[in-house]
Amino acid sequence: MTDTSLHGISRTSADADLLSVLGRRSIVLVGMMGAGKSSVGRRLGTRLGLPFVDADTEIEAAAGMTIPEIFERHGEPAFRSGEARVIERLLDAGPQVLATGGGAFMNASTRAAVRDKAVSLWLKAEFDVLMRRIKRRSDRPMLKTADPAATLQRLMAERDPFYAEADLIVESRDVPHMTVVEEIVSQLQAHLKCGEYKP
Ligand code: S3P
């Protein structure tokens, strides 16, 4: 069955078009901890028939330890350089949906590599939404501070200008994940100019 709601193009052919225009590029999700990069990214991968890769999981596999352990034993700078190396390597394995850790897009070389080899998308969420979600997990080294809410606020202020460099922005909020996924697909189709007449 096809859905002809998208500018008169059947959704299935628009999907095929999206994948063909995307080529070897990855779809890279950036944004704060708690924005839903992994849960939305996994569903986006399934929706588009692309593999989903979580950079944090790959970093842990490469290091043979968890992210909290990397921070504890080697410190944040070591984590950041490992993170940049792993993402650079992963970007050569597209097409895929790649979720990156909240700090990854602060690195200028990572941003340049993403610009070159991917379409980037900022999964943007309000402070309150992030705070509520972040409270569910206690293993994030960046928030192990005396005042996690103030830390989150500071990180958002520092990082938002860099996230804003992403090609696309989609709001992550308390709606079903698939609603956000469909918004991403529509934005990708528009960005990649899918379904346009190409003589
Ligand atoms: C970090 C976010 C984490 C992880 C690490 C550092 C950050 O990933 O990479 O704990 O600096 O924001 P998520 O954004 O997937 O939680």
Side-chain angles (χ1 to χ4, degrees):
M1 211 178 72
T2 56
D3 170 0
T4 53
S5 62
L6 191 91
H7 314 302
I9 307 153
S10 77
R11 178 151 290 169
T12 45
S13 81
D15 283 357
D17 204 13
L18 191 162
L19 293 176
S20 108
V21 180
L22 186 66
R24 299 277 320 269
R25 282 178 289 176
S26 300
I27 299 166
V28 170
L29 303 185
V30 305
M32 281 299 294
M33 300 169 266
K37 292 164 296 192
S38 302
S39 33
V40 167
R42 189 167 292 111
R43 287 167 177 84
L44 178 64
T46 304
R47 167 70 176 75
L48 293 175
L50 291 176
F52 169 74
V53 181
D54 191 320
D56 284 346
T57 307
E58 297 294 320
I59 294 162
E60 291 184 326
M65 60 184 113
T66 66
I67 288 176
E69 283 167 350
I70 303 173
F71 270 76
E72 215 174 277
R73 293 189 202 167
H74 303 290
E76 186 182 347
F79 170 75
R80 295 298 172 201
S81 52
E83 176 177 51
R85 271 197 312 275
V86 166
I87 292 175
E88 192 114 9
R89 165 173 63 76
L90 291 172
L91 284 170
D92 284 327
Q96 67 202 326
V97 176
L98 175 61
T100 59
F105 213 51
M106 300 308 104
N107 181 304
S109 327
T110 299
R111 286 199 303 283
V114 168
R115 217 173 295 126
D116 207 30
K117 297 177 179 168
V119 176
S120 53
L121 184 137
W122 177 14
L123 206 47
K124 183 179 184 182
E126 299 282 346
F127 172 82
D128 290 347
V129 173
L130 294 175
M131 203 57 221
R132 214 174 319 121
R133 293 184 185 160
I134 278 165
K135 278 190 187 141
R136 292 185 208 142
R137 254 176 64 187
S138 60
D139 62 342
R140 290 183 163 110
M142 295 300 289
L143 295 173
K144 287 211 177 301
T145 62
D147 186 350
T151 305
L152 179 65
Q153 210 135 32
R154 176 180 57 77
L155 289 174
M156 285 175 80
E158 280 171 16
R159 293 174 173 185
D160 282 6
F162 294 98
Y163 295 148
E165 291 184 24
D167 297 313
L168 306 171
I169 303 177
V170 167
E171 204 197 330
S172 170
R173 55 212 190 275
D174 289 329
V175 294
H177 288 310
M178 283 316 287
T179 305
V180 178
V181 166
E182 289 307 331
E183 283 179 21
I184 294 176
V185 173
S186 300
Q187 282 218 24
L188 283 167
Q189 282 166 341
H191 179 74
L192 296 171
K193 299 182 173 49
C194 299
E196 277 193 359
Y197 175 64
K198 297 180 202 91

